[in-house]
Amino acid sequence: MTAPSTEAALTVVYDGECPFCSNYVHLMALRRSVGTVALVDARSGGPLVDEIARRGYDLDEGMVVRHGPDLYYGADALVLLSRLSDDRGAASRLLARLLRSPGRARLLYPAMKLGRRVTLRMLGRTRLARPGGAPPAR
């Protein structure tokens, strides 16, 4: 994992304890497409996670991708990552093609979030803390 920096071309903030989130982020071959990629586990906190919360994004409801000055959230983040991926390997090709369409990504994203919640519960993991240090919702 690369620490976020101003030199990273792309920063992905995701739930490091969610197996789907972690696998998706690592599956997308982004480095060849965009250069330096910083991966930030939202559970680790830090200035970027705090900034995202101040802007009103709930990281328990979706990942955030910073590409240049722009932030992409939830389904829009998946679309961007899919469009920037190298499509290496059958699984990454399938995911990238499936999620490059904003309409398909928005349609599938609620089911993906539900799958994440169920999986975290089955694994005995908590959801992410709410902005301002509030405990996670159950």
Side-chain angles (χ1 to χ4, degrees):
M1 184 176 323
T2 305
S5 75
T6 56
E7 296 178 26
L10 188 82
T11 302
V12 181
V13 183
Y14 67 103
D15 182 357
E17 287 192 20
C18 170
F20 299 123
C21 304
S22 297
N23 288 332
Y24 179 78
V25 168
H26 291 288
L27 187 62
M28 294 291 106
L30 296 166
R31 285 176 180 84
R32 288 184 185 205
S33 300
V34 297
T36 305
V37 176
L39 302 177
V40 176
D41 180 353
R43 292 178 187 266
S44 66
L48 180 57
V49 174
D50 293 342
E51 175 191 340
I52 288 168
R54 277 193 307 274
R55 289 186 178 202
Y57 296 107
D58 183 350
L59 289 167
D60 201 41
E61 293 296 320
M63 70 170 54
V64 171
V65 175
R66 181 175 62 192
H67 189 230
D70 300 318
L71 293 179
Y72 298 83
Y73 178 68
D76 294 330
L78 290 182
V79 170
L80 177 68
L81 292 176
S82 296
R83 289 181 176 174
L84 294 174
S85 71
D86 278 345
D87 289 352
R88 295 186 336 187
S92 66
R93 272 195 306 275
L94 175 65
L95 275 173
R97 288 185 182 140
L98 187 63
L99 297 172
R100 276 187 184 141
S101 161
R104 271 195 306 261
R106 284 188 186 91
L107 183 68
L108 293 171
Y109 202 69
M112 295 168 77
K113 289 190 321 183
L114 177 62
R116 173 186 171 268
R117 284 192 190 115
V118 169
T119 301
L120 288 176
R121 184 169 289 222
M122 288 174 43
L123 294 172
R125 297 177 184 165
T126 61
R127 293 174 62 188
L128 291 166
R130 295 288 185 208
R138 291 279 170 201

